[in-house]
């Protein structure tokens, strides 16, 4: 946890000019700016434990290694702040189903359904300062790929624990090594088939325990040139019992993700 100015809240890493692929890494950071930390009621030890639960550990590393290994380098959009600041993948209004457990775009509850922020907290300043600029920058990144390549493919890179956490609304379903999240409009058959082939050595499942994709709202349900897929990696594939990354697991996953990127770039 540290201070971070707004210009450091996210970063777009350029890829090949002709690449349509954006690897989106929204939940890999543990950084909580001091001003945001002041509004969180957990003590430091409890907050560190919550960050252990909620952070998609080392997914930025996996995406970075995949980008470097791919013959056509994808673009990467990386959130450099924790999702405990804002979650850029949640709807900022009543459309968000996770509001049922106090985890909309700004979380009020923890993964174990305990108080994170006061129930009466005014979340609008966080939405204005962090959520909207992030959404605008991601929209611009997709627009750039559409202009340069004629299409865009957003591949979300996430991870999830082997055992369900109390906040999960659909945690009683299968928890495959690789969960592929899809959207009926933005995930065409060839995109899903490419992902299944790329991760075949690990084993894949569909939309369980997490479903859906991330698409900027300007394009969501409107522009079929924007493809989207969520890749949820079960953490025991690459993280040991102490929470440290296992190099062989990271390397294997990065290689598979690079293979997916190459299929989508051709």
């Amino acid at each position: 946890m540290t201070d971070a100015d707004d210009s450091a809240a996210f970063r777009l890493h350029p890829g090949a000019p002709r690449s349509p692929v954006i690897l989106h890494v929204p939940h890999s950071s543990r950084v909580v700016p001091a001003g945001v930390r002041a509004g969180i009621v957990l003590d430091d030890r409890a907050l560190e434990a919550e960050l252990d639960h909620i952070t998609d550990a080392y997914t930025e590393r996996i995406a970075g290694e995949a980008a470097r290994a791919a013959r056509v380098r994808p673009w990467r959009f990386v959130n450099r702040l924790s999702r405990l600041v804002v979650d850029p993948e949640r709807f900022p209004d009543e459309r968000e189903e996770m509001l049922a457990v106090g985890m909309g775009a700004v979380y009020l509850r923890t993964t174990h359904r305990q108080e994170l922020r006061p129930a009466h907290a005014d979340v609008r300043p966080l939405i204005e300062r962090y959520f909207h600029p992030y959404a605008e920058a991601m929209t611009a990144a997709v627009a750039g790929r559409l202009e340069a390549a004629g299409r865009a493919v957003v591949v979300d890179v996430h991870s999830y624990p082997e055992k369900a956490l109390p906040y999960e609304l659909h945690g009683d379903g299968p928890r495959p090594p690789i969960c592929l999240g899809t959207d009926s409009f933005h995930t065409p058959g060839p995109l899903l088939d490419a992902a299944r082939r790329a991760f075949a050595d690990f084993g894949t499942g569909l939309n369980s325990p997490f479903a859906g994709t991330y698409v900027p709202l300007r394009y969501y349900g409107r522009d079929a040139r924007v493809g989207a897929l969520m890749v949820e990696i079960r953490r025991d594939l690459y993280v040991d019992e102490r929470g440290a990354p296992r190099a062989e697991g990271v390397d294997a996953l990065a290689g598979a993700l690079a293979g997916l990127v190459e299929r989508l770039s051709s």
Side-chain angles (χ1 to χ4, degrees), residues 150-207:
R151 60 191 178 100
V153 186
V154 179
V155 178
D156 258 4
V157 185
H158 292 266
S159 71
Y160 74 99
E162 189 174 10
K163 295 182 179 180
L165 291 169
Y167 84 97
E168 295 182 23
L169 294 179
H170 310 290
D172 54 352
R175 303 180 80 82
I178 303 293
C179 164
L180 301 174
T182 66
D183 177 85
S184 59
F185 185 84
H186 291 283
T187 313
L191 171 53
L192 180 57
D193 290 344
R196 282 172 164 157
R197 291 196 301 272
F199 291 100
D201 288 346
F202 296 94
T204 63
L206 195 64
N207 291 320

Side-chain angles (χ1 to χ4, degrees), residues 95 185-186 215-226:
R95 290 172 292 179
F185 185 84
H186 291 283
V215 177
L217 290 178
R218 177 189 297 176
Y219 301 105
Y220 183 66
R222 300 177 181 181
D223 194 334
R225 296 177 302 161
V226 180

Side-chain angles (χ1 to χ4, degrees), residues 106-127:
V106 177
Y107 299 172
L108 302 180
R109 313 291 288 186
T110 71
T111 51
H112 288 71
R113 304 199 180 196
Q114 298 171 338
E115 186 180 47
L116 179 73
R117 293 181 173 92
H120 62 271
D122 183 3
V123 304
R124 290 174 297 178
L126 293 175
I127 295 291

